[in-house]
Amino acid sequence: MKQPILLPSDERIRIKDFDPDYTGNYKDKDEAKAELEKNIARMAELQEVLYAEGKHALLIVLQAMDAGGKDGVIRNVMSGINPQGCRVTSFKAPTPEELSHDFLWRIHAHVPPKGYIGVFNRSHYEDVLIVRVHNLVPEAVWKKRYEHINNFEKLLADSGVTILKFFLHISQDEQKERLQKRLEDKTKNWKFNPGDLKERARWDEYMRAYEDAINECNTSWAPWHVVPANKKWYRNLVVSERLVEVLESLDMKYPPAPEGIEEVVIE
Ligand code: ATP
Ligand code: MG
């Protein structure tokens, strides 16, 4: 059975119905390699038109459990992109100043302007994920946030920002293996954060929080995608495919040449 990446807008999804090991019609990394390279090259072309035309912005929201592959997607899928036209923002626990504002204040400031691609490594969704799991605000407060998020994303969409949200879906076993590697591999030790184990222990609560966030905020103007992410190569392929598809659908054009350009002679 084919597994949807883009979710049905009219029915509630359950995360456990999605297989994190799914790889579609592909058997292994080698089979997918050419396709991924093609997508990366195509993205580079499309980004240039996005920048030149200056009419649209693209916002990519990446959410996942620890070791879920957010960094890997940025490193691989975005590797062909001109750094001048791309901004990556990693959202950590809010500072006291950020906490003294509404939860979207710090987010809004990092939304890409027209002509740019913005990548959120974690995002405003943390405010209905970790915040909910750890009761950092009362339930009555986080429950209202789904509506605030939908309205905020609608404002952005109406202002020329195309929003794509990806949940990189790994299994609990796969996370264990990846965290274990961070313990064993000297070059990965720096990535090991003992705090990740505390979050891992609350896996089921996180899955419930993700499920609600995805269902409550899967809108036509800012759709969620559940990406099978146990296999890194398939995860990268899926995200790159979707980015190419959506950038192409914007039907962008290079701006017209300055008038009289045909007569210009360079001595
Ligand atoms: P990596 O571990 O790959 O470097 P990371 O995104 O996990 O990347 P960390 O510095 O380890 O980065 O963790 C950031 C932490 O900040 C996460 O645990 C995340 O849940 C937390 N965080 C982000 N936004 C909020 C928020 N609004 N409220 C509370 N905690 C938040
Ligand atoms: Mg971390």
Side-chain angles (χ1 to χ4, degrees), residues 4 6-14 18 214-221 223-224:
L6 189 56
L7 308 175
S9 57
D10 49 349
E11 38 181 293
R12 235 188 117 77
I13 62 108
R14 291 181 312 181
F18 289 77
I214 290 170
N215 282 305
E216 296 294 327
C217 302
N218 183 38
T219 56
S220 56
W221 57 89
W224 267 109

Side-chain angles (χ1 to χ4, degrees), residues 7-228:
L7 308 175
S9 57
D10 49 349
E11 38 181 293
R12 235 188 117 77
I13 62 108
R14 291 181 312 181
I15 288 176
K16 67 171 166 43
D17 293 339
F18 289 77
D19 177 9
D21 275 312
Y22 184 77
T23 57
N25 298 325
Y26 294 87
K27 258 198 343 270
D28 56 29
K29 188 176 179 168
D30 291 340
E31 269 192 9
K33 193 165 176 251
E35 203 56 30
L36 177 63
E37 280 170 7
K38 198 178 85 197
N39 291 343
I40 289 174
R42 182 72 184 124
M43 270 172 63
E45 292 169 1
L46 288 160
Q47 182 209 12
E48 180 148 316
V49 197
L50 181 95
Y51 187 82
E53 190 188 47
K55 253 175 50 188
H56 303 274
L58 177 66
L59 173 59
I60 302 164
V61 172
L62 299 176
Q63 284 288 160
M65 295 297 282
D66 289 300
K70 296 180 272 84
D71 291 333
V73 166
I74 296 168
R75 212 172 39 243
N76 290 284
V77 178
M78 311 304 289
S79 60
I81 297 282
N82 178 350
Q84 276 203 88
C86 181
R87 297 174 182 177
V88 180
T89 312
S90 300
F91 289 98
K92 311 285 182 184
T95 63
E97 192 197 10
E98 288 168 344
L99 279 175
S100 71
H101 290 272
D102 69 84
F103 77 106
L104 293 170
W105 179 76
R106 67 170 184 159
I107 307 294
H108 206 157
H110 292 281
V111 170
K114 292 190 171 75
Y116 287 80
I117 296 179
V119 184
F120 284 179
N121 180 349
R122 299 189 189 272
S123 65
H124 42 303
Y125 283 94
E126 294 292 326
D127 293 281
V128 291
L129 294 168
I130 189 170
V131 167
R132 165 177 171 175
V133 169
H134 288 279
N135 293 309
L136 301 182
V137 300
E139 177 167 346
V141 173
W142 60 253
K143 274 220 157 133
K144 277 196 186 159
R145 287 183 173 170
Y146 302 120
E147 195 185 342
H148 292 313
I149 290 175
N150 287 340
N151 290 331
F152 169 65
E153 291 177 349
K154 183 81 169 79
L155 165 71
L156 302 184
D158 287 347
S159 313
V161 185
T162 297
I163 307 167
L164 293 174
K165 303 179 297 203
F166 296 98
F167 169 52
L168 310 179
H169 178 33
I170 56 165
S171 63
Q172 209 173 354
D173 287 345
E174 178 67 21
Q175 190 199 42
K176 183 176 181 187
E177 268 180 42
R178 292 186 189 182
L179 292 177
Q180 190 67 39
K181 262 206 200 105
R182 293 183 179 185
L183 280 179
E184 288 164 9
D185 180 342
K186 278 214 161 33
T187 67
K188 293 203 163 120
N189 283 170
W190 65 276
K191 277 199 196 176
F192 185 77
N193 172 1
D196 292 353
L197 302 183
K198 233 177 58 209
E199 307 309 322
R200 172 176 166 77
R202 312 185 80 152
W203 188 273
D204 293 344
E205 289 168 78
Y206 268 105
M207 288 308 117
R208 274 197 292 279
Y210 266 108
E211 203 162 277
D212 283 344
I214 290 170
N215 282 305
E216 296 294 327
C217 302
N218 183 38
T219 56
S220 56
W221 57 89
W224 267 109
H225 304 72
V226 175
V227 181

Side-chain angles (χ1 to χ4, degrees), residues 221-236:
W221 57 89
W224 267 109
H225 304 72
V226 175
V227 181
N230 273 4
K231 301 280 182 291
K232 296 173 181 174
W233 56 268
Y234 189 67
R235 168 202 78 198
N236 292 340

